[in-house]
Amino acid sequence: MTARILDGNKIRDEIKTELGAKIRALAEKQITPGLAAVLVGENPASQIYVRNKVKTSRELGLFSEKIERPASATTEELLELVRSLNARGDIDGILVQLPLPPQVDARRVLEAVDPAKDVDGLHPVNIGRLASGRPGLIPCTPAGVIEILRRSGIEIAGARAVVIGRSDLVGKPVALLLLHQHATVTICHSKTRDLAAVAREGDIIIAAMGKPAFVTGDFIRPGATVVDVGINRLSTAEEIRRIYRNPADKLRALEEKGSVLVGDVHPEDVAEKAGAYTPVPGGVGPLTIAMLMANTVRAAEMRRAGKRPAASSPL
Ligand code: NAP
């Protein structure tokens, strides 16, 4: 059986095209959705994420502002910054890039964001709205997972979905979204007994655990749809040889780039056993920024019309 590859780059481009039309419609009403990205400290990964978010918003014609604060910033200073962004009429979305430095109370900072501008969907008000199926802003990566399934014609209603990982950022919101779309959902975590047997019950498996190539062929029912949220960086030949049966290409990539990305799902096994799967890179990853853009546009449409965003999808 040849597994179908669910191409995240293609779906991202479709979403960007659709957003372009919405942004033009807003421009006719003299509205430019605005996104403020708050970057604290010098974490290299965070710098890249924020740079990409700002770049994509500008490409799409959004107003975007990067606000940097030193690693020594205090909780009070960040609360003050968030309050000032809450008060600005030209800002529709506020994202505070995580992780924040250890001296900062990240929860307090996230809770200070106006829920109507919480484009990362991390405010307890939006989490509560998501849990109860009420209109709100939903976290970007989970929203991207659902978009991939939906746009690839994968039937969610009635399917058995197994979510591996229960983080607030990915596992829990994905499970809730699948549940709202009428899947029968099992949520697994590090204490789940016989994980492979539980995963094999899934028509849809969502892997979000942060463990390179952990989900092997033994976890996958033949023909299942596998969505790999994991992003793990391999930086030694030994790690690559441990995972890949045919490592030549990856070893070459390691020499050229210094590291190789792998998901939480075994890339060779999934291609052999699944019916459809998202690759890493090029699967879920590209959707995260696209959904942030979608949330920002949605937040602008709603806030400026005095309404609240829809619960299921910003698109
Ligand atoms: P996280 O907060 O570390 O959560 C990992 C979850 O996986 C936890 O619930 C943990 O269980 C579970 N887990 C860990 N080891 C396990 C095991 N051996 N068996 C079963 N469950 C296990 O990670 P996260 O933020 O959800 O991210 C997960 C992955 O997605 C990471 O690779 C991350 O880089 C990636 N990610 C990608 C994107 C994207 O844009 N594509 C966005 C966000 C995250 P416990 O709760 O029991 O500890």
Side-chain angles (χ1 to χ4, degrees):
M1 184 185 0
T2 314
R4 186 175 147 212
I5 297 176
L6 307 178
D7 183 346
N9 289 317
K10 188 167 150 262
I11 295 172
R12 178 221 27 224
D13 291 344
E14 273 171 33
I15 293 172
K16 280 170 84 173
T17 303
E18 291 168 21
L19 288 176
K22 289 188 181 189
I23 293 163
R24 282 192 295 281
L26 284 169
E28 280 173 19
K29 297 183 205 160
Q30 320 299 326
I31 295 172
T32 306
L35 176 67
V38 177
L39 175 62
V40 185
E42 275 152 32
N43 179 322
S46 295
Q47 284 176 330
I48 295 171
Y49 291 142
V50 168
R51 195 187 314 140
N52 288 339
K53 288 169 186 177
V54 169
K55 183 168 156 263
T56 308
S57 24
R58 290 186 183 156
E59 276 166 13
L60 277 172
L62 307 187
F63 168 73
S64 175
E65 193 169 309
K66 179 165 112 180
I67 301 166
E68 291 181 87
R69 290 290 181 268
S72 59
T74 64
T75 304
E76 283 309 321
E77 283 162 358
L78 295 180
L79 288 174
E80 200 40 53
L81 171 62
V82 167
R83 284 185 205 118
S84 71
L85 293 170
N86 285 343
R88 274 176 57 181
D90 61 336
I91 294 295
D92 298 285
I94 301 169
L95 82 88
V96 180
Q97 186 64 45
L98 300 176
L100 290 172
Q103 78 279 6
V104 173
D105 185 340
R107 279 201 168 177
R108 272 186 77 200
V109 174
L110 294 180
E111 286 176 19
V113 174
D114 178 347
K117 298 188 177 187
D118 170 39
V119 282
D120 269 337
L122 298 177
H123 192 287
V125 165
N126 281 320
I127 295 169
R129 286 174 180 156
L130 170 61
S132 59
R134 290 188 174 91
L137 288 162
I138 51 180
C140 303
T141 302
V145 169
I146 299 297
E147 275 315 305
I148 290 188
L149 293 172
R150 191 168 74 82
R151 289 172 187 255
S152 306
I154 308 286
E155 179 92 31
I156 300 177
R160 296 207 60 161
V162 177
V163 179
I164 312 180
R166 57 173 165 182
S167 72
D168 292 342
L169 201 62
V170 188
K172 271 186 230 165
V174 163
L176 284 167
L177 289 168
L178 289 166
L179 181 65
H180 293 328
Q181 306 234 352
H182 313 296
T184 300
V185 183
T186 304
I187 306 175
C188 303
H189 45 77
S190 63
K191 305 287 185 293
T192 299
R193 256 184 252 135
D194 201 354
L195 183 61
V198 179
R200 272 199 304 276
E201 290 180 8
D203 303 308
I204 299 172
I205 299 172
I206 314 288
M209 53 202 306
K211 294 271 182 292
F214 193 96
V215 176
T216 51
D218 189 33
F219 289 57
I220 302 167
R221 174 203 288 205
T225 298
V226 181
V227 177
D228 190 353
V229 183
I231 302 178
N232 309 289
R233 210 167 272 284
L234 306 178
S235 49
T236 66
E238 194 197 342
E239 286 174 298
I240 288 175
R241 283 203 195 89
R242 209 181 307 132
I243 291 174
Y244 292 88
R245 290 189 291 278
N246 300 306
D249 287 355
K250 297 293 168 186
L251 289 170
R252 216 171 301 121
L254 175 70
E255 260 181 39
E256 283 165 17
K257 298 183 199 150
S259 66
V260 164
L261 286 187
V262 70
D264 290 346
V265 178
H266 194 288
E268 293 167 329
D269 288 8
V270 74
E272 284 167 14
K273 268 197 118 171
Y277 70 99
T278 61
V280 176
V284 175
L287 269 294
T288 298
I289 293 187
M291 298 314 288
L292 175 71
M293 301 298 117
N295 271 348
T296 305
V297 171
R298 194 79 186 127
E301 287 171 341
M302 293 293 126
R303 191 178 64 86
R304 300 196 197 214
K307 294 185 197 151
R308 253 202 253 148
S312 53
S313 165
L315 292 162

